[in-house]
PDB file of all heavy atoms in Angstrom:
ATOM      1  N   PRO A 112       0.843  10.828   1.710  1.00 59.00           N
ATOM      2  CA  PRO A 112       1.960  12.044   1.589  1.00 59.00           C
ATOM      3  C   PRO A 112       2.021  12.658   2.904  1.00 59.00           C
ATOM      4  O   PRO A 112       0.980  12.802   3.575  1.00 59.00           O
ATOM      5  CB  PRO A 112       1.462  12.873   0.377  1.00 59.00           C
ATOM      6  CG  PRO A 112      -0.071  12.636   0.392  1.00 59.00           C
ATOM      7  CD  PRO A 112      -0.263  11.144   0.775  1.00 59.00           C
ATOM      8  N   PRO A 115       0.203  16.403   4.558  1.00 65.00           N
ATOM      9  CA  PRO A 115      -1.010  16.033   3.767  1.00 65.00           C
ATOM     10  C   PRO A 115      -1.385  17.239   2.795  1.00 65.00           C
ATOM     11  O   PRO A 115      -1.154  18.380   3.089  1.00 65.00           O
ATOM     12  CB  PRO A 115      -2.072  15.714   4.805  1.00 65.00           C
ATOM     13  CG  PRO A 115      -1.583  16.449   6.014  1.00 65.00           C
ATOM     14  CD  PRO A 115      -0.111  16.466   5.974  1.00 65.00           C
ATOM     15  N   PRO A 116      -1.964  16.813   1.651  1.00 71.00           N
ATOM     16  CA  PRO A 116      -2.488  17.921   0.724  1.00 71.00           C
ATOM     17  C   PRO A 116      -3.658  18.666   1.214  1.00 71.00           C
ATOM     18  O   PRO A 116      -4.805  18.365   0.790  1.00 71.00           O
ATOM     19  CB  PRO A 116      -2.633  17.080  -0.488  1.00 71.00           C
ATOM     20  CG  PRO A 116      -3.143  15.841  -0.139  1.00 71.00           C
ATOM     21  CD  PRO A 116      -2.302  15.626   1.172  1.00 71.00           C
ATOM     22  N   ILE A 117      -3.416  19.755   2.016  1.00 84.00           N
ATOM     23  CA  ILE A 117      -4.530  20.423   2.541  1.00 84.00           C
ATOM     24  C   ILE A 117      -4.563  21.895   2.091  1.00 84.00           C
ATOM     25  O   ILE A 117      -5.536  22.592   2.605  1.00 84.00           O
ATOM     26  CB  ILE A 117      -4.514  20.416   4.107  1.00 84.00           C
ATOM     27  CG1 ILE A 117      -3.262  21.012   4.722  1.00 84.00           C
ATOM     28  CG2 ILE A 117      -4.594  18.965   4.641  1.00 84.00           C
ATOM     29  CD1 ILE A 117      -3.237  21.286   6.150  1.00 84.00           C
ATOM     30  N   SER A 118      -3.713  22.289   1.268  1.00 89.00           N
ATOM     31  CA  SER A 118      -3.692  23.659   0.849  1.00 89.00           C
ATOM     32  C   SER A 118      -5.072  24.113   0.114  1.00 89.00           C
ATOM     33  O   SER A 118      -5.584  25.225   0.487  1.00 89.00           O
ATOM     34  CB  SER A 118      -2.430  23.943  -0.040  1.00 89.00           C
ATOM     35  OG  SER A 118      -1.286  23.692   0.519  1.00 89.00           O
ATOM     36  N   GLY A 119      -5.621  23.264  -0.618  1.00 90.00           N
ATOM     37  CA  GLY A 119      -6.869  23.515  -1.214  1.00 90.00           C
ATOM     38  C   GLY A 119      -7.980  23.720  -0.285  1.00 90.00           C
ATOM     39  O   GLY A 119      -8.797  24.529  -0.466  1.00 90.00           O
ATOM     40  N   ALA A 120      -8.003  22.809   0.819  1.00 92.00           N
ATOM     41  CA  ALA A 120      -8.970  22.936   1.854  1.00 92.00           C
ATOM     42  C   ALA A 120      -8.897  24.243   2.617  1.00 92.00           C
ATOM     43  O   ALA A 120      -9.852  24.940   2.966  1.00 92.00           O
ATOM     44  CB  ALA A 120      -9.018  21.698   2.745  1.00 92.00           C
ATOM     45  N   LEU A 181     -16.225  19.826  -4.165  1.00 95.00           N
ATOM     46  CA  LEU A 181     -15.552  19.514  -5.381  1.00 95.00           C
ATOM     47  C   LEU A 181     -14.310  20.370  -5.637  1.00 95.00           C
ATOM     48  O   LEU A 181     -13.263  19.763  -6.145  1.00 95.00           O
ATOM     49  CB  LEU A 181     -16.523  19.728  -6.751  1.00 95.00           C
ATOM     50  CG  LEU A 181     -15.993  19.349  -7.959  1.00 95.00           C
ATOM     51  CD1 LEU A 181     -15.723  17.923  -8.095  1.00 95.00           C
ATOM     52  CD2 LEU A 181     -16.970  19.707  -9.067  1.00 95.00           C
ATOM     53  N   LEU A 182     -14.343  21.587  -5.295  1.00 96.00           N
ATOM     54  CA  LEU A 182     -13.097  22.453  -5.282  1.00 96.00           C
ATOM     55  C   LEU A 182     -11.991  21.890  -4.448  1.00 96.00           C
ATOM     56  O   LEU A 182     -10.852  21.752  -4.931  1.00 96.00           O
ATOM     57  CB  LEU A 182     -13.479  23.875  -4.839  1.00 96.00           C
ATOM     58  CG  LEU A 182     -12.295  24.841  -4.800  1.00 96.00           C
ATOM     59  CD1 LEU A 182     -11.734  25.176  -6.181  1.00 96.00           C
ATOM     60  CD2 LEU A 182     -12.863  26.210  -4.153  1.00 96.00           C
ATOM     61  N   VAL A 183     -12.406  21.501  -3.235  1.00 95.00           N
ATOM     62  CA  VAL A 183     -11.409  20.933  -2.292  1.00 95.00           C
ATOM     63  C   VAL A 183     -10.912  19.646  -2.875  1.00 95.00           C
ATOM     64  O   VAL A 183      -9.638  19.449  -2.910  1.00 95.00           O
ATOM     65  CB  VAL A 183     -11.940  20.680  -0.977  1.00 95.00           C
ATOM     66  CG1 VAL A 183     -11.081  19.853  -0.086  1.00 95.00           C
ATOM     67  CG2 VAL A 183     -12.342  22.045  -0.244  1.00 95.00           C
ATOM     68  N   ALA A 184     -11.724  18.743  -3.530  1.00 94.00           N
ATOM     69  CA  ALA A 184     -11.239  17.457  -3.996  1.00 94.00           C
ATOM     70  C   ALA A 184     -10.218  17.653  -5.212  1.00 94.00           C
ATOM     71  O   ALA A 184      -9.268  17.013  -5.273  1.00 94.00           O
ATOM     72  CB  ALA A 184     -12.497  16.749  -4.541  1.00 94.00           C
ATOM     73  N   VAL A 185     -10.623  18.640  -6.147  1.00 95.00           N
ATOM     74  CA  VAL A 185      -9.809  18.737  -7.327  1.00 95.00           C
ATOM     75  C   VAL A 185      -8.411  19.320  -6.860  1.00 95.00           C
ATOM     76  O   VAL A 185      -7.361  19.010  -7.356  1.00 95.00           O
ATOM     77  CB  VAL A 185     -10.571  19.680  -8.305  1.00 95.00           C
ATOM     78  CG1 VAL A 185      -9.523  20.165  -9.426  1.00 95.00           C
ATOM     79  CG2 VAL A 185     -11.695  18.995  -8.991  1.00 95.00           C
ATOM     80  N   LEU A 186      -8.415  20.447  -6.073  1.00 95.00           N
ATOM     81  CA  LEU A 186      -7.228  21.087  -5.629  1.00 95.00           C
ATOM     82  C   LEU A 186      -6.526  20.065  -4.706  1.00 95.00           C
ATOM     83  O   LEU A 186      -5.146  19.976  -4.831  1.00 95.00           O
ATOM     84  CB  LEU A 186      -7.565  22.288  -4.869  1.00 95.00           C
ATOM     85  CG  LEU A 186      -8.158  23.441  -5.658  1.00 95.00           C
ATOM     86  CD1 LEU A 186      -8.268  24.628  -4.713  1.00 95.00           C
ATOM     87  CD2 LEU A 186      -7.444  23.856  -6.826  1.00 95.00           C
ATOM     88  N   GLY A 187      -7.193  19.313  -3.995  1.00 93.00           N
ATOM     89  CA  GLY A 187      -6.464  18.230  -3.064  1.00 93.00           C
ATOM     90  C   GLY A 187      -5.712  17.251  -3.885  1.00 93.00           C
ATOM     91  O   GLY A 187      -4.584  16.923  -3.703  1.00 93.00           O
ATOM     92  N   TYR A 188      -6.356  16.700  -4.938  1.00 92.00           N
ATOM     93  CA  TYR A 188      -5.789  15.690  -5.770  1.00 92.00           C
ATOM     94  C   TYR A 188      -4.640  16.295  -6.571  1.00 92.00           C
ATOM     95  O   TYR A 188      -3.493  15.599  -6.708  1.00 92.00           O
ATOM     96  CB  TYR A 188      -6.621  14.955  -6.697  1.00 92.00           C
ATOM     97  CG  TYR A 188      -6.012  13.812  -7.279  1.00 92.00           C
ATOM     98  CD1 TYR A 188      -5.873  12.572  -6.662  1.00 92.00           C
ATOM     99  CD2 TYR A 188      -5.270  13.922  -8.498  1.00 92.00           C
ATOM    100  CE1 TYR A 188      -5.169  11.560  -7.155  1.00 92.00           C
ATOM    101  CE2 TYR A 188      -4.617  12.921  -9.099  1.00 92.00           C
ATOM    102  CZ  TYR A 188      -4.557  11.642  -8.355  1.00 92.00           C
ATOM    103  OH  TYR A 188      -3.867  10.678  -8.904  1.00 92.00           O
ATOM    104  N   ALA A 189      -4.802  17.490  -7.034  1.00 93.00           N
ATOM    105  CA  ALA A 189      -3.834  18.198  -7.814  1.00 93.00           C
ATOM    106  C   ALA A 189      -2.483  18.403  -7.001  1.00 93.00           C
ATOM    107  O   ALA A 189      -1.409  18.158  -7.322  1.00 93.00           O
ATOM    108  CB  ALA A 189      -4.106  19.465  -8.419  1.00 93.00           C
ATOM    109  N   GLU A 190      -2.705  18.760  -5.691  1.00 92.00           N
ATOM    110  CA  GLU A 190      -1.643  18.928  -4.750  1.00 92.00           C
ATOM    111  C   GLU A 190      -0.893  17.568  -4.473  1.00 92.00           C
ATOM    112  O   GLU A 190       0.284  17.514  -4.409  1.00 92.00           O
ATOM    113  CB  GLU A 190      -2.102  19.526  -3.474  1.00 92.00           C
ATOM    114  CG  GLU A 190      -0.935  19.860  -2.510  1.00 92.00           C
ATOM    115  CD  GLU A 190      -1.423  20.523  -1.202  1.00 92.00           C
ATOM    116  OE1 GLU A 190      -2.580  20.891  -1.140  1.00 92.00           O
ATOM    117  OE2 GLU A 190      -0.632  20.693  -0.320  1.00 92.00           O
ATOM    118  N   TYR A 191      -1.662  16.520  -4.307  1.00 89.00           N
ATOM    119  CA  TYR A 191      -1.149  15.167  -4.120  1.00 89.00           C
ATOM    120  C   TYR A 191      -0.414  14.802  -5.263  1.00 89.00           C
ATOM    121  O   TYR A 191       0.714  14.133  -5.121  1.00 89.00           O
ATOM    122  CB  TYR A 191      -2.266  14.166  -3.813  1.00 89.00           C
ATOM    123  CG  TYR A 191      -1.908  12.748  -3.906  1.00 89.00           C
ATOM    124  CD1 TYR A 191      -0.983  12.190  -2.975  1.00 89.00           C
ATOM    125  CD2 TYR A 191      -2.290  11.954  -5.006  1.00 89.00           C
ATOM    126  CE1 TYR A 191      -0.670  10.826  -3.112  1.00 89.00           C
ATOM    127  CE2 TYR A 191      -2.028  10.661  -5.124  1.00 89.00           C
ATOM    128  CZ  TYR A 191      -1.221  10.110  -4.178  1.00 89.00           C
ATOM    129  OH  TYR A 191      -0.844   8.709  -4.257  1.00 89.00           O
ATOM    130  N   ALA A 192      -0.874  14.993  -6.458  1.00 86.00           N
ATOM    131  CA  ALA A 192      -0.207  14.453  -7.728  1.00 86.00           C
ATOM    132  C   ALA A 192       0.983  15.309  -8.124  1.00 86.00           C
ATOM    133  O   ALA A 192       2.057  14.739  -8.518  1.00 86.00           O
ATOM    134  CB  ALA A 192      -1.160  14.409  -8.963  1.00 86.00           C
ATOM    135  N   TYR A 193       0.940  16.608  -7.945  1.00 88.00           N
ATOM    136  CA  TYR A 193       1.999  17.533  -8.505  1.00 88.00           C
ATOM    137  C   TYR A 193       2.629  18.465  -7.440  1.00 88.00           C
ATOM    138  O   TYR A 193       3.626  19.049  -7.792  1.00 88.00           O
ATOM    139  CB  TYR A 193       1.445  18.281  -9.622  1.00 88.00           C
ATOM    140  CG  TYR A 193       1.076  17.360 -10.806  1.00 88.00           C
ATOM    141  CD1 TYR A 193      -0.275  17.241 -11.139  1.00 88.00           C
ATOM    142  CD2 TYR A 193       1.976  16.737 -11.666  1.00 88.00           C
ATOM    143  CE1 TYR A 193      -0.585  16.498 -12.284  1.00 88.00           C
ATOM    144  CE2 TYR A 193       1.624  15.951 -12.699  1.00 88.00           C
ATOM    145  CZ  TYR A 193       0.294  15.914 -13.037  1.00 88.00           C
ATOM    146  OH  TYR A 193      -0.039  15.051 -14.034  1.00 88.00           O
ATOM    147  N   GLY A 194       2.046  18.606  -6.339  1.00 89.00           N
ATOM    148  CA  GLY A 194       2.532  19.518  -5.326  1.00 89.00           C
ATOM    149  C   GLY A 194       1.681  20.803  -5.166  1.00 89.00           C
ATOM    150  O   GLY A 194       1.067  21.212  -6.014  1.00 89.00           O
ATOM    151  N   ALA A 195       1.940  21.432  -4.059  1.00 91.00           N
ATOM    152  CA  ALA A 195       1.165  22.590  -3.762  1.00 91.00           C
ATOM    153  C   ALA A 195       1.543  23.777  -4.620  1.00 91.00           C
ATOM    154  O   ALA A 195       0.674  24.480  -5.033  1.00 91.00           O
ATOM    155  CB  ALA A 195       1.381  23.020  -2.207  1.00 91.00           C
ATOM    156  N   TRP A 196       2.820  23.904  -4.852  1.00 92.00           N
ATOM    157  CA  TRP A 196       3.292  25.032  -5.765  1.00 92.00           C
ATOM    158  C   TRP A 196       2.749  24.905  -7.112  1.00 92.00           C
ATOM    159  O   TRP A 196       2.403  25.860  -7.781  1.00 92.00           O
ATOM    160  CB  TRP A 196       4.826  25.253  -5.726  1.00 92.00           C
ATOM    161  CG  TRP A 196       5.301  25.745  -4.309  1.00 92.00           C
ATOM    162  CD1 TRP A 196       6.020  24.948  -3.540  1.00 92.00           C
ATOM    163  CD2 TRP A 196       5.149  27.086  -3.921  1.00 92.00           C
ATOM    164  NE1 TRP A 196       6.345  25.813  -2.409  1.00 92.00           N
ATOM    165  CE2 TRP A 196       5.753  27.035  -2.718  1.00 92.00           C
ATOM    166  CE3 TRP A 196       4.548  28.176  -4.291  1.00 92.00           C
ATOM    167  CZ2 TRP A 196       5.821  28.196  -1.826  1.00 92.00           C
ATOM    168  CZ3 TRP A 196       4.440  29.315  -3.600  1.00 92.00           C
ATOM    169  CH2 TRP A 196       5.278  29.341  -2.280  1.00 92.00           C
ATOM    170  N   TRP A 197       2.802  23.757  -7.666  1.00 92.00           N
ATOM    171  CA  TRP A 197       2.272  23.469  -8.966  1.00 92.00           C
ATOM    172  C   TRP A 197       0.767  23.821  -9.050  1.00 92.00           C
ATOM    173  O   TRP A 197       0.357  24.475  -9.968  1.00 92.00           O
ATOM    174  CB  TRP A 197       2.363  21.939  -9.316  1.00 92.00           C
ATOM    175  CG  TRP A 197       1.845  21.513 -10.696  1.00 92.00           C
ATOM    176  CD1 TRP A 197       2.799  21.437 -11.792  1.00 92.00           C
ATOM    177  CD2 TRP A 197       0.546  21.162 -11.049  1.00 92.00           C
ATOM    178  NE1 TRP A 197       1.877  20.981 -12.847  1.00 92.00           N
ATOM    179  CE2 TRP A 197       0.622  20.754 -12.463  1.00 92.00           C
ATOM    180  CE3 TRP A 197      -0.600  21.051 -10.260  1.00 92.00           C
ATOM    181  CZ2 TRP A 197      -0.553  20.413 -13.155  1.00 92.00           C
ATOM    182  CZ3 TRP A 197      -1.716  20.605 -11.069  1.00 92.00           C
ATOM    183  CH2 TRP A 197      -1.664  20.294 -12.383  1.00 92.00           C
ATOM    184  N   THR A 198       0.009  23.377  -8.053  1.00 94.00           N
ATOM    185  CA  THR A 198      -1.425  23.625  -8.027  1.00 94.00           C
ATOM    186  C   THR A 198      -1.694  25.060  -7.976  1.00 94.00           C
ATOM    187  O   THR A 198      -2.516  25.615  -8.698  1.00 94.00           O
ATOM    188  CB  THR A 198      -2.074  22.894  -6.837  1.00 94.00           C
ATOM    189  OG1 THR A 198      -1.725  21.445  -6.888  1.00 94.00           O
ATOM    190  CG2 THR A 198      -3.574  23.065  -6.847  1.00 94.00           C
ATOM    191  N   ALA A 199      -0.972  25.757  -7.066  1.00 95.00           N
ATOM    192  CA  ALA A 199      -1.239  27.309  -7.009  1.00 95.00           C
ATOM    193  C   ALA A 199      -0.880  27.971  -8.231  1.00 95.00           C
ATOM    194  O   ALA A 199      -1.471  28.914  -8.573  1.00 95.00           O
ATOM    195  CB  ALA A 199      -0.380  27.819  -5.769  1.00 95.00           C
ATOM    196  N   ALA A 200       0.275  27.561  -8.878  1.00 96.00           N
ATOM    197  CA  ALA A 200       0.803  28.219 -10.114  1.00 96.00           C
ATOM    198  C   ALA A 200      -0.276  28.081 -11.223  1.00 96.00           C
ATOM    199  O   ALA A 200      -0.575  28.995 -11.984  1.00 96.00           O
ATOM    200  CB  ALA A 200       2.091  27.680 -10.541  1.00 96.00           C
ATOM    201  N   VAL A 201      -0.845  26.787 -11.352  1.00 97.00           N
ATOM    202  CA  VAL A 201      -1.799  26.532 -12.421  1.00 97.00           C
ATOM    203  C   VAL A 201      -2.998  27.247 -12.096  1.00 97.00           C
ATOM    204  O   VAL A 201      -3.637  27.892 -13.024  1.00 97.00           O
ATOM    205  CB  VAL A 201      -1.948  24.972 -12.541  1.00 97.00           C
ATOM    206  CG1 VAL A 201      -3.253  24.710 -13.495  1.00 97.00           C
ATOM    207  CG2 VAL A 201      -0.803  24.365 -13.126  1.00 97.00           C
ATOM    208  N   PHE A 202      -3.537  27.278 -10.963  1.00 97.00           N
ATOM    209  CA  PHE A 202      -4.702  28.040 -10.387  1.00 97.00           C
ATOM    210  C   PHE A 202      -4.628  29.478 -10.844  1.00 97.00           C
ATOM    211  O   PHE A 202      -5.522  30.010 -11.495  1.00 97.00           O
ATOM    212  CB  PHE A 202      -4.947  27.797  -8.954  1.00 97.00           C
ATOM    213  CG  PHE A 202      -6.218  28.361  -8.514  1.00 97.00           C
ATOM    214  CD1 PHE A 202      -7.274  27.535  -8.319  1.00 97.00           C
ATOM    215  CD2 PHE A 202      -6.456  29.723  -8.222  1.00 97.00           C
ATOM    216  CE1 PHE A 202      -8.541  28.070  -7.757  1.00 97.00           C
ATOM    217  CE2 PHE A 202      -7.627  30.216  -7.773  1.00 97.00           C
ATOM    218  CZ  PHE A 202      -8.677  29.425  -7.550  1.00 97.00           C
ATOM    219  N   GLY A 236      -9.879  29.660 -11.807  1.00 97.00           N
ATOM    220  CA  GLY A 236      -8.735  28.865 -11.302  1.00 97.00           C
ATOM    221  C   GLY A 236      -9.091  27.348 -11.214  1.00 97.00           C
ATOM    222  O   GLY A 236      -8.356  26.465 -11.556  1.00 97.00           O
ATOM    223  N   PHE A 237     -10.381  27.139 -10.648  1.00 97.00           N
ATOM    224  CA  PHE A 237     -10.739  25.722 -10.608  1.00 97.00           C
ATOM    225  C   PHE A 237     -10.808  25.038 -11.919  1.00 97.00           C
ATOM    226  O   PHE A 237     -10.337  23.904 -12.028  1.00 97.00           O
ATOM    227  CB  PHE A 237     -12.207  25.715  -9.929  1.00 97.00           C
ATOM    228  CG  PHE A 237     -12.902  24.463 -10.009  1.00 97.00           C
ATOM    229  CD1 PHE A 237     -12.556  23.370  -9.246  1.00 97.00           C
ATOM    230  CD2 PHE A 237     -13.889  24.200 -11.058  1.00 97.00           C
ATOM    231  CE1 PHE A 237     -13.284  22.078  -9.378  1.00 97.00           C
ATOM    232  CE2 PHE A 237     -14.506  23.041 -11.191  1.00 97.00           C
ATOM    233  CZ  PHE A 237     -14.246  22.012 -10.316  1.00 97.00           C
ATOM    234  N   ASN A 238     -11.369  25.708 -12.906  1.00 97.00           N
ATOM    235  CA  ASN A 238     -11.389  25.163 -14.294  1.00 97.00           C
ATOM    236  C   ASN A 238     -10.039  24.887 -14.737  1.00 97.00           C
ATOM    237  O   ASN A 238      -9.799  23.869 -15.465  1.00 97.00           O
ATOM    238  CB  ASN A 238     -12.313  25.938 -15.165  1.00 97.00           C
ATOM    239  CG  ASN A 238     -13.786  25.682 -15.112  1.00 97.00           C
ATOM    240  OD1 ASN A 238     -14.322  24.762 -15.625  1.00 97.00           O
ATOM    241  ND2 ASN A 238     -14.481  26.568 -14.321  1.00 97.00           N
ATOM    242  N   ALA A 239      -9.124  25.794 -14.537  1.00 97.00           N
ATOM    243  CA  ALA A 239      -7.784  25.648 -15.109  1.00 97.00           C
ATOM    244  C   ALA A 239      -7.136  24.400 -14.508  1.00 97.00           C
ATOM    245  O   ALA A 239      -6.516  23.678 -15.166  1.00 97.00           O
ATOM    246  CB  ALA A 239      -7.005  26.827 -14.820  1.00 97.00           C
ATOM    247  N   VAL A 240      -7.296  24.206 -13.209  1.00 97.00           N
ATOM    248  CA  VAL A 240      -6.627  23.076 -12.431  1.00 97.00           C
ATOM    249  C   VAL A 240      -7.341  21.816 -12.920  1.00 97.00           C
ATOM    250  O   VAL A 240      -6.693  20.871 -13.181  1.00 97.00           O
ATOM    251  CB  VAL A 240      -6.675  23.251 -10.959  1.00 97.00           C
ATOM    252  CG1 VAL A 240      -6.337  21.945 -10.315  1.00 97.00           C
ATOM    253  CG2 VAL A 240      -5.887  24.426 -10.474  1.00 97.00           C
ATOM    254  N   LEU A 241      -8.613  21.747 -13.115  1.00 96.00           N
ATOM    255  CA  LEU A 241      -9.284  20.684 -13.583  1.00 96.00           C
ATOM    256  C   LEU A 241      -8.907  20.273 -14.934  1.00 96.00           C
ATOM    257  O   LEU A 241      -8.539  19.071 -15.186  1.00 96.00           O
ATOM    258  CB  LEU A 241     -10.857  20.905 -13.663  1.00 96.00           C
ATOM    259  CG  LEU A 241     -11.751  19.810 -14.075  1.00 96.00           C
ATOM    260  CD1 LEU A 241     -11.636  18.633 -13.069  1.00 96.00           C
ATOM    261  CD2 LEU A 241     -13.201  20.231 -14.108  1.00 96.00           C
ATOM    262  N   GLY A 242      -8.741  21.225 -15.852  1.00 96.00           N
ATOM    263  CA  GLY A 242      -8.141  20.921 -17.142  1.00 96.00           C
ATOM    264  C   GLY A 242      -6.668  20.387 -17.163  1.00 96.00           C
ATOM    265  O   GLY A 242      -6.462  19.403 -17.837  1.00 96.00           O
ATOM    266  N   ALA A 243      -5.856  20.975 -16.376  1.00 95.00           N
ATOM    267  CA  ALA A 243      -4.544  20.593 -16.357  1.00 95.00           C
ATOM    268  C   ALA A 243      -4.465  19.170 -15.730  1.00 95.00           C
ATOM    269  O   ALA A 243      -3.506  18.397 -16.023  1.00 95.00           O
ATOM    270  CB  ALA A 243      -3.642  21.534 -15.430  1.00 95.00           C
ATOM    271  N   LEU A 244      -5.306  18.870 -14.750  1.00 93.00           N
ATOM    272  CA  LEU A 244      -5.259  17.612 -13.943  1.00 93.00           C
ATOM    273  C   LEU A 244      -5.596  16.495 -14.935  1.00 93.00           C
ATOM    274  O   LEU A 244      -5.324  15.237 -14.486  1.00 93.00           O
ATOM    275  CB  LEU A 244      -6.251  17.644 -12.861  1.00 93.00           C
ATOM    276  CG  LEU A 244      -6.036  16.595 -11.685  1.00 93.00           C
ATOM    277  CD1 LEU A 244      -4.618  16.682 -11.150  1.00 93.00           C
ATOM    278  CD2 LEU A 244      -7.073  16.898 -10.482  1.00 93.00           C
ATOM    279  N   THR A 245      -6.189  16.712 -16.170  1.00 92.00           N
ATOM    280  CA  THR A 245      -6.427  15.569 -17.035  1.00 92.00           C
ATOM    281  C   THR A 245      -5.164  14.852 -17.408  1.00 92.00           C
ATOM    282  O   THR A 245      -5.195  13.651 -17.881  1.00 92.00           O
ATOM    283  CB  THR A 245      -7.162  16.051 -18.307  1.00 92.00           C
ATOM    284  OG1 THR A 245      -6.403  16.930 -18.939  1.00 92.00           O
ATOM    285  CG2 THR A 245      -8.570  16.610 -17.864  1.00 92.00           C
ATOM    286  N   SER A 246      -3.959  15.437 -17.170  1.00 90.00           N
ATOM    287  CA  SER A 246      -2.735  14.757 -17.472  1.00 90.00           C
ATOM    288  C   SER A 246      -2.438  13.703 -16.532  1.00 90.00           C
ATOM    289  O   SER A 246      -1.394  12.861 -16.751  1.00 90.00           O
ATOM    290  CB  SER A 246      -1.601  15.829 -17.547  1.00 90.00           C
ATOM    291  OG  SER A 246      -1.342  16.407 -16.268  1.00 90.00           O
ATOM    292  N   ALA A 247      -3.088  13.624 -15.421  1.00 88.00           N
ATOM    293  CA  ALA A 247      -2.946  12.625 -14.439  1.00 88.00           C
ATOM    294  C   ALA A 247      -3.767  11.344 -14.742  1.00 88.00           C
ATOM    295  O   ALA A 247      -3.693  10.301 -14.059  1.00 88.00           O
ATOM    296  CB  ALA A 247      -3.346  13.115 -13.053  1.00 88.00           C
ATOM    297  N   PHE A 295       2.339  19.045 -19.992  1.00 81.00           N
ATOM    298  CA  PHE A 295       2.703  18.090 -18.948  1.00 81.00           C
ATOM    299  C   PHE A 295       2.828  16.623 -19.480  1.00 81.00           C
ATOM    300  O   PHE A 295       3.632  15.832 -19.081  1.00 81.00           O
ATOM    301  CB  PHE A 295       1.690  18.128 -17.783  1.00 81.00           C
ATOM    302  CG  PHE A 295       1.515  19.513 -17.096  1.00 81.00           C
ATOM    303  CD1 PHE A 295       0.289  19.864 -16.658  1.00 81.00           C
ATOM    304  CD2 PHE A 295       2.565  20.276 -17.017  1.00 81.00           C
ATOM    305  CE1 PHE A 295       0.125  21.068 -16.049  1.00 81.00           C
ATOM    306  CE2 PHE A 295       2.532  21.561 -16.468  1.00 81.00           C
ATOM    307  CZ  PHE A 295       1.232  21.998 -15.999  1.00 81.00           C
ATOM    308  N   HIS A 303       4.390   9.429 -12.662  1.00 53.00           N
ATOM    309  CA  HIS A 303       3.684  10.365 -11.762  1.00 53.00           C
ATOM    310  C   HIS A 303       2.326   9.714 -11.290  1.00 53.00           C
ATOM    311  O   HIS A 303       1.778   8.996 -12.077  1.00 53.00           O
ATOM    312  CB  HIS A 303       3.668  11.765 -12.345  1.00 53.00           C
ATOM    313  CG  HIS A 303       2.633  11.958 -13.408  1.00 53.00           C
ATOM    314  ND1 HIS A 303       1.317  11.860 -13.272  1.00 53.00           N
ATOM    315  CD2 HIS A 303       2.826  12.199 -14.756  1.00 53.00           C
ATOM    316  CE1 HIS A 303       0.682  11.957 -14.364  1.00 53.00           C
ATOM    317  NE2 HIS A 303       1.616  12.222 -15.401  1.00 53.00           N
ATOM    318  N   PRO A 304       1.778  10.303 -10.209  1.00 54.00           N
ATOM    319  CA  PRO A 304       0.481   9.731  -9.616  1.00 54.00           C
ATOM    320  C   PRO A 304      -0.568   9.820 -10.749  1.00 54.00           C
ATOM    321  O   PRO A 304      -0.707  10.813 -11.475  1.00 54.00           O
ATOM    322  CB  PRO A 304       0.206  10.577  -8.542  1.00 54.00           C
ATOM    323  CG  PRO A 304       1.464  11.048  -8.070  1.00 54.00           C
ATOM    324  CD  PRO A 304       2.352  11.287  -9.301  1.00 54.00           C
ATOM    325  N   LYS A 305      -1.362   8.770 -10.998  1.00 56.00           N
ATOM    326  CA  LYS A 305      -2.443   8.783 -11.942  1.00 56.00           C
ATOM    327  C   LYS A 305      -3.616   8.528 -11.100  1.00 56.00           C
ATOM    328  O   LYS A 305      -3.810   7.976 -10.069  1.00 56.00           O
ATOM    329  CB  LYS A 305      -2.261   7.537 -12.866  1.00 56.00           C
ATOM    330  CG  LYS A 305      -0.999   7.541 -13.784  1.00 56.00           C
ATOM    331  CD  LYS A 305      -1.082   8.602 -14.808  1.00 56.00           C
ATOM    332  CE  LYS A 305       0.009   8.454 -15.890  1.00 56.00           C
ATOM    333  NZ  LYS A 305       1.334   8.494 -15.353  1.00 56.00           N
ATOM    334  N   ILE A 306      -4.746   9.004 -11.701  1.00 58.00           N
ATOM    335  CA  ILE A 306      -6.144   8.772 -11.278  1.00 58.00           C
ATOM    336  C   ILE A 306      -6.496   7.364 -11.674  1.00 58.00           C
ATOM    337  O   ILE A 306      -6.387   7.013 -12.859  1.00 58.00           O
ATOM    338  CB  ILE A 306      -7.155   9.732 -11.751  1.00 58.00           C
ATOM    339  CG1 ILE A 306      -6.763  11.210 -11.175  1.00 58.00           C
ATOM    340  CG2 ILE A 306      -8.551   9.424 -11.294  1.00 58.00           C
ATOM    341  CD1 ILE A 306      -7.563  12.348 -11.764  1.00 58.00           C
TER     342      ILE A 306
END
Side-chain angles (χ1 to χ4, degrees):
I117 61 171
S118 298
L181 184 59
L182 176 64
V183 171
V185 168
L186 296 183
Y188 188 83
E190 185 179 353
Y191 164 70
Y193 295 109
W196 288 111
W197 181 97
T198 304
V201 171
F202 186 99
F237 166 78
N238 276 279
V240 173
L241 184 63
L244 198 54
T245 58
S246 65
F295 303 147
H303 71 68
K305 299 287 196 302
I306 298 173

